[in-house]
Amino acid sequence: MKEKLLGKTPDELKKVALDAGLPAFASKQIASWLYEKRVSDFESMSNISKAGREKLGEMFETGVEAPIGIAESFDGTKKYLFRTGESAVEAVMIPSEDRFTLCVSSQAGCKMGCRFCMTGRQGFHGNLSTAEILNQFISIPESASLTNAVFMGMGEPLDNFDAVMGAIRVLTAPWGFAWSPKRITLSTIGVIPQLKRYLDECNCHLAVSLHNPIPEERLEMMPVQKAYDILDVVDLVRQYDFSGQRRVSFEYTMFSGWNDSKRHADALIRLLRGLECRVNLIRFHEIPDFPYRCASAPAMEQFRDRLNNNGITCTIRASRGEDILAACGMLAGRCSNGNR
């Protein structure tokens, strides 16, 4: 299998250039074609000699591969399916008035096993490479229009730390996409060792999948609670400054009768009091063979208002793409016709 170039830095591309018989400065040209112009083949790299392009093609792949499936929602959301080895992953493009956000996957499946998540219920099938992560950005028709990225698709990003950080490096580097870190949010269930590294090494935003502030109850739905207690996760987050450019939010999917009561709201207020943060309430999207249902609209509104009235900024997130199984917790690596 040929080595893929997506994800490599200009310094790393120097070896690629030299191996292909090109001068070292060609590494900057290759980086420009990959990340600024976002070409899919070497033949398009017109300022590189024909012989050099042919040698690159013999030895390497760009790493850009078209999606193998697409589904479009009535609200404009699009879900793209990508082949990754023996598995498939999905990325979701969410348009709004002033932005195009890509919800990107970092793993095929997931190890975390959250009971209410379709991705977690399918098991783990492998980490994506940096090239496979970046391909989700580069190979879709909206690539040039993307304004924001959320690592909230399939998988736990911090369980694939090096590849995810490699992708973020390309997205934020001046030789790459040249995005501000403010345009990127990484969501995690709370893998504490890698979370500390992320907070130390990266200035992108953070979203923590919380879902229940009471540890014993959280464990019922989220096995990771046994390894990484949400109390310890919040204690770690408190050690960092979120009063400036970097923000932290807490994701809270609402279930009727499980986490939508005044008791849960008050526990959440106690847990987060004094922390500069936002809570996003998420409507639960029903999945097969799962007994819980979404909290009612009045219950979600009362929960939101109680948090806001007690100094915790809280909003109810609009649901997008539910009709194409593209909403939170619904990604399962399937084509629009339901086939893997």
Side-chain angles (χ1 to χ4, degrees):
M1 182 179 294
K2 296 179 183 178
E3 187 177 0
K4 297 179 180 180
L5 299 190
L6 274 184
K8 291 186 179 295
T9 68
D11 283 344
E12 292 168 334
L13 289 171
K14 283 182 181 178
K15 183 178 185 303
V16 170
L18 294 173
D19 287 348
L22 294 166
F25 69 77
S27 63
K28 294 182 179 179
Q29 295 171 317
I30 297 170
S32 176
W33 285 110
L34 288 173
Y35 304 130
E36 293 179 46
K37 301 178 181 68
R38 305 182 195 182
V39 301
S40 61
D41 59 88
F42 294 114
E43 191 56 37
S44 299
M45 300 181 180
S46 56
N47 60 352
I48 295 175
S49 69
K50 187 176 190 308
R53 297 197 302 268
E54 290 175 351
K55 194 66 175 177
L56 285 170
E58 291 172 7
M59 301 176 65
F60 304 100
E61 297 178 2
T62 62
V64 181
E65 299 178 24
I68 61 172
I70 180 174
E72 185 167 3
S73 168
F74 71 91
D75 65 17
T77 298
K78 292 182 181 179
K79 181 172 70 171
Y80 292 99
L81 185 73
F82 297 90
R83 179 65 62 192
T84 57
E86 298 300 315
S87 301
V89 300
E90 293 159 311
V92 179
M93 193 284 300
I94 308 166
S96 61
E97 290 183 2
D98 59 349
R99 63 177 60 189
F100 285 81
T101 300
L102 188 69
C103 179
V104 62
S105 292
S106 56
Q107 296 180 312
C110 185
K111 298 176 185 176
M112 301 300 129
C114 296
R115 291 179 55 206
F116 52 84
C117 176
M118 286 290 289
T119 305
R121 290 173 62 168
Q122 71 170 269
F124 177 69
H125 304 290
N127 286 324
L128 300 192
S129 66
T130 295
E132 289 171 326
I133 295 171
L134 288 171
N135 182 56
Q136 297 170 62
F137 290 89
I138 287 177
S139 67
I140 64 174
E142 298 84 5
S143 178
S145 301
L146 294 175
T147 60
N148 295 82
V150 290
F151 283 80
M152 296 182 181
M154 300 175 69
E156 162 56 58
L158 295 186
D159 191 44
N160 188 16
F161 185 86
D162 290 339
V164 168
M165 291 300 291
I168 290 175
R169 175 182 58 199
V170 172
L171 292 173
T172 56
W175 46 261
F177 280 39
W179 282 13
S180 164
K182 295 186 295 182
R183 296 167 64 176
I184 302 169
T185 300
L186 179 143
S187 176
T188 178
I189 205 168
V191 183
I192 288 178
Q194 288 86 347
L195 175 57
K196 186 176 189 311
R197 286 188 62 191
Y198 175 76
L199 292 170
D200 286 338
E201 299 174 19
C202 186
N203 290 320
C204 297
H205 300 314
L206 173 69
V208 177
S209 295
L210 196 155
H211 308 303
N212 196 313
I214 301 169
E216 298 79 10
E217 295 182 16
R218 189 173 188 255
L219 182 59
E220 295 172 5
M221 295 271 202
M222 304 173 69
V224 74
Q225 170 65 26
K226 187 172 183 179
Y228 303 116
D229 193 318
I230 191 60
L231 303 182
D232 295 331
V233 173
V234 174
D235 282 345
L236 175 62
V237 171
R238 285 185 181 277
Q239 298 173 28
Y240 294 82
D241 181 15
F242 292 97
S243 61
Q245 297 293 311
R246 183 165 62 174
R247 299 192 304 269
V248 61
S249 61
F250 292 87
E251 310 300 298
Y252 197 96
T253 301
M254 296 206 70
F255 303 87
S256 178
W258 184 65
N259 66 351
D260 62 342
S261 70
K262 174 180 176 295
R263 176 173 66 91
H264 292 95
D266 289 344
L268 189 56
I269 291 165
R270 290 193 297 271
L271 178 64
L272 301 181
R273 180 171 283 127
L275 179 60
E276 189 77 23
C277 67
R278 174 185 297 271
V279 173
N280 293 316
L281 302 184
I282 302 168
R283 185 166 65 86
F284 172 60
H285 305 99
E286 295 183 11
I287 58 177
D289 303 318
F290 186 73
Y292 286 90
R293 298 293 177 261
C294 181
S296 67
M300 292 184 70
E301 291 164 1
Q302 291 172 13
F303 198 100
R304 174 200 62 195
D305 294 345
R306 188 165 188 84
L307 264 63
N308 281 322
N309 291 337
N310 282 272
I312 306 292
T313 301
C314 182
T315 59
I316 298 175
R317 180 186 290 168
S319 180
R320 301 290 299 273
E322 184 175 2
D323 59 313
I324 57 169
L325 304 181
C328 291
M330 302 186 80
L331 299 185
R334 298 183 183 276
C335 298
S336 55
N337 64 5
N339 295 324
R340 284 291 293 271

